[in-house]
Amino acid sequence: MTQPPPIQPVRAPLPSAESWLEGVPTPAQRRLDRYAVAAFATSLPGLVPIAAVLGLIALPRIRRSGARGRGLVVGALVICCCWLIAIGVAAFLNLRGEQRAGIGRTTVISQVAVQQCFDADLEVDTLRQVKIADCAAPHSGEAYAKVRASMTGLSVEQKGTAATQQCATAFQTFVGKPYERSELDMYYVVLEDRAVADGNVLCMVGQPGAKLTGSMRGSQR
């Protein structure tokens, strides 16, 4: 007796892979989230607050929509962290520099060092104390030289003449213009009568009623 052929299950033909993916966006088809792009773009020049906000907005948008750009957001946040670290280090170094330079410290006028700037009322009869200032910021005066002038046995008037002559010579070298033709005023402090090797007269420049900005070295004023 002949055996009947085995019954084959009826199977519908499988759809092609293309039809399975129909309607599902591939990575190449997903759009790039504009907030992610903006976050990365603003992080490069150091616009940290803007970049951070845009990045935090972009992350949930990307999760909801499936858009591309997560890598850009992560990159933007990393760059923001780098900027914050750099700014923090720069601020720390600037603060240390100001502390070493004595900026903001009040001291007697005779303790001002050459190349230091200071704030004080230059119109008082006797200037005793000043506050050390940043030369890049507005300030009252600047110590530009220590000169040697032998004053032993001289009268007060003669000491003044000797100090003025020596400071005027240094003034022209420093400012680039003779003192008698300058708009700036010159001041001096006699540290001691004996002419010592590192100078016994401290020479300073200023302009009463006005503020100087930057060093007066080579200013031609």
Side-chain angles (χ1 to χ4, degrees), residues 4-215:
I7 299 174
Q8 299 294 330
V10 178
R11 300 180 62 185
L14 292 176
S16 65
E18 288 75 15
S19 66
W20 285 357
L21 296 175
E22 186 177 351
V24 180
T26 63
Q29 294 172 330
R30 285 184 295 154
R31 62 183 178 81
L32 191 60
D33 187 86
R34 63 178 183 273
Y35 280 86
V37 175
F40 187 79
T42 53
S43 69
L44 295 176
L47 303 177
V48 174
I50 298 174
V53 170
L54 291 173
L56 293 176
I57 293 175
L59 285 176
R61 283 169 51 90
I62 291 172
R63 281 197 298 268
R64 289 195 303 267
S65 65
R68 292 181 296 133
R70 181 179 177 81
L72 290 177
V73 176
V74 173
L77 295 178
V78 170
I79 292 173
C80 288
C81 290
C82 293
W83 272 110
L84 290 175
I85 293 172
I87 292 170
V89 171
F92 174 75
L93 293 177
N94 183 61
L95 180 61
R96 287 292 299 274
E98 288 187 355
Q99 289 175 343
R100 289 179 180 177
I103 294 175
R105 175 174 55 89
T106 299
T107 185
V108 294
I109 185 67
S110 60
Q111 294 299 312
V112 177
V114 175
Q115 297 184 349
Q116 275 190 329
C117 297
F118 58 87
D119 275 318
D121 183 1
L122 299 181
E123 299 186 50
V124 298
D125 294 332
T126 303
L127 182 59
R128 300 186 184 278
Q129 290 189 324
V130 298
K131 180 178 287 187
I132 303 300
D134 183 358
C135 289
H139 56 274
S140 303
E142 177 182 5
Y144 65 88
K146 268 188 179 181
V147 296
R148 298 173 60 185
S150 180
M151 299 181 178
T152 305
L154 299 182
S155 66
V156 174
E157 183 177 350
Q158 289 171 328
K159 289 180 181 180
T161 300
T164 299
Q165 290 174 344
Q166 296 299 322
C167 283
T169 299
F171 182 97
Q172 182 169 353
T173 301
F174 181 76
V175 176
K177 177 182 285 190
Y179 172 57
E180 58 271 17
R181 294 196 289 110
S182 174
E183 66 185 81
L184 303 172
D185 283 346
M186 185 177 66
Y187 307 86
Y188 66 86
V189 175
V190 178
L191 304 176
E192 58 178 296
D193 290 348
R194 183 172 56 92
V196 295
D198 62 344
N200 61 314
V201 179
L202 178 65
C203 306
M204 294 160 287
V205 62
Q207 193 172 19
K211 290 285 188 178
L212 307 177
T213 301
S215 174

